[in-house]
Amino acid sequence: MGELVTVRVCEGISRGFAADARTRIAAVVSGADALVESLRIRIGTLGTAAGSPGSPGGGPGAPGPPGVLAQVNAEVDGRRIRVQEAAADLGEALDRLADGLRVRMTAVTAGWTPRPWPRRTRTRGLPAAAEPSSSVGSVPSVGSVPSVGAVARLDLPGPPGPRRIVRRKLPQLVWCSPDAAARTMDAMDYDIHLFTDPATETDAVVYRVGPTGYRLARTLAAGPPTRPAVPLTLSPCGAPELSEEQAVERLTSAELPHLFFAQPGSGRGRVLYRRYDGGLGLIAAAS
């Protein structure tokens, strides 16, 4: 399995930690080698400061980073899975990453079941983000975009002041049922997944929120899906049509973690979100 595990460490993380990450994650998949086709680990800091002694950066006398972000992407039994964890230090981040990968592999190979809500906190040792208020078209979960059409958790509030869009993704959205979108969201460890609902031919999101842990919102309001296997609740409102400037203003002024909205004219779905680095990201469905 070792040759299938690749590790990338970002600036601010000592490359000496790559071997530790490889060993811990390889131990999780030991015995399941036949099911695991590839596994990629990425480790970075949640800040740009150099590390202090004993911190990931290891720079003597300098202030330590505010936290560590660790992520693993794998293909297990023909299914793509992803786990992302933030923690105060590298050891805790890797421990939580290994635990999350173990749970995700079991879920993929044993068959899908709804994930519990609310989930455990992911911010031990880190400053907590403020609880967002809800508004029409907003999605009360948090995130940064790790891959096409999806958003992951944001565990740290960004710096105060104006924000700008620093990353854009223009995916061709997958046409799938809300059930399939929810299962993809769970397998990839996201809190929201943007897709196109073939039953209504509208762009939509499923996202993690109470009371069931799964909610469906569409660009145009429509009735509930027929006999869903996922315990979905339904947003009664369509997504608001907003320009990028309006969306940024609404998200920042209302202190929302992210916002689901529709592009004026085309009506295509978009998600504006806060990134770990404090900037904003945008997923915009390709026309």
Side-chain angles (χ1 to χ4, degrees):
M1 183 66 217
E3 66 276 7
L4 298 181
V5 179
T6 59
V7 183
R8 176 189 172 193
V9 292
C10 301
E11 184 178 356
I13 298 288
S14 169
R15 296 190 179 277
F17 287 108
D20 186 23
R22 184 190 302 273
T23 299
R24 294 198 197 196
I25 298 304
V28 173
V29 300
S30 177
D33 297 34
L35 298 177
V36 181
E37 298 179 33
S38 64
L39 197 149
R40 301 180 307 282
I41 305 166
R42 184 176 181 272
I43 307 168
T45 64
L46 291 173
T48 57
S52 57
S55 71
V68 174
L69 181 65
Q71 178 179 307
V72 59
N73 290 268
E75 189 165 336
V76 179
D77 200 19
R79 291 284 306 276
R80 289 193 312 125
I81 65 173
R82 172 187 167 277
V83 179
Q84 180 172 267
E85 293 285 354
D89 58 60
L90 185 72
E92 183 182 3
L94 291 181
D95 286 343
R96 296 169 72 174
L97 195 69
D99 289 343
L101 179 60
R102 190 176 293 108
V103 170
R104 198 64 32 78
M105 287 179 61
T106 299
V108 167
T109 55
W112 181 87
T113 57
R115 294 169 65 186
W117 181 265
R119 77 170 110 238
R120 65 180 174 83
T121 179
R122 294 186 170 235
T123 56
R124 290 196 303 269
L126 297 174
E131 181 69 18
S133 59
S134 61
S135 67
V136 174
S138 70
V139 183
S141 59
V142 284
S144 64
V145 178
S147 64
V148 166
V151 179
R153 255 174 287 339
L154 175 68
D155 294 297
L156 291 175
R163 291 183 173 86
R164 62 186 179 88
I165 297 173
V166 298
R167 188 172 187 185
R168 298 170 183 268
K169 293 208 169 187
L170 304 174
Q172 292 285 346
L173 298 187
V174 173
W175 285 57
C176 66
S177 69
D179 275 354
R183 296 182 187 198
T184 296
M185 177 179 68
D186 282 358
M188 297 300 289
D189 198 23
Y190 301 142
D191 274 351
I192 179 173
H193 185 58
L194 179 63
F195 67 105
T196 300
D197 180 5
T200 58
E201 298 187 357
T202 59
D203 294 336
V205 289
V206 289
Y207 56 97
R208 297 283 287 163
V209 70
T212 66
Y214 299 90
R215 190 165 178 84
L216 170 67
R218 301 184 179 101
T219 49
L220 297 176
T226 303
R227 296 187 296 275
V230 174
L232 289 166
T233 58
L234 179 67
S235 173
C237 304
E241 288 198 358
L242 301 171
S243 67
E244 288 186 9
E245 293 77 10
Q246 291 171 324
V248 169
E249 172 62 24
R250 179 174 296 194
L251 181 142
T252 55
S253 63
E255 298 185 355
L256 298 170
H258 57 72
L259 182 71
F260 173 51
F261 66 104
Q263 182 181 28
S266 72
R268 296 305 306 269
R270 294 184 156 198
V271 173
L272 182 70
Y273 61 93
R274 298 178 190 270
R275 290 166 48 87
Y276 274 104
D277 59 14
L280 301 180
L282 179 72
I283 312 171
S287 300

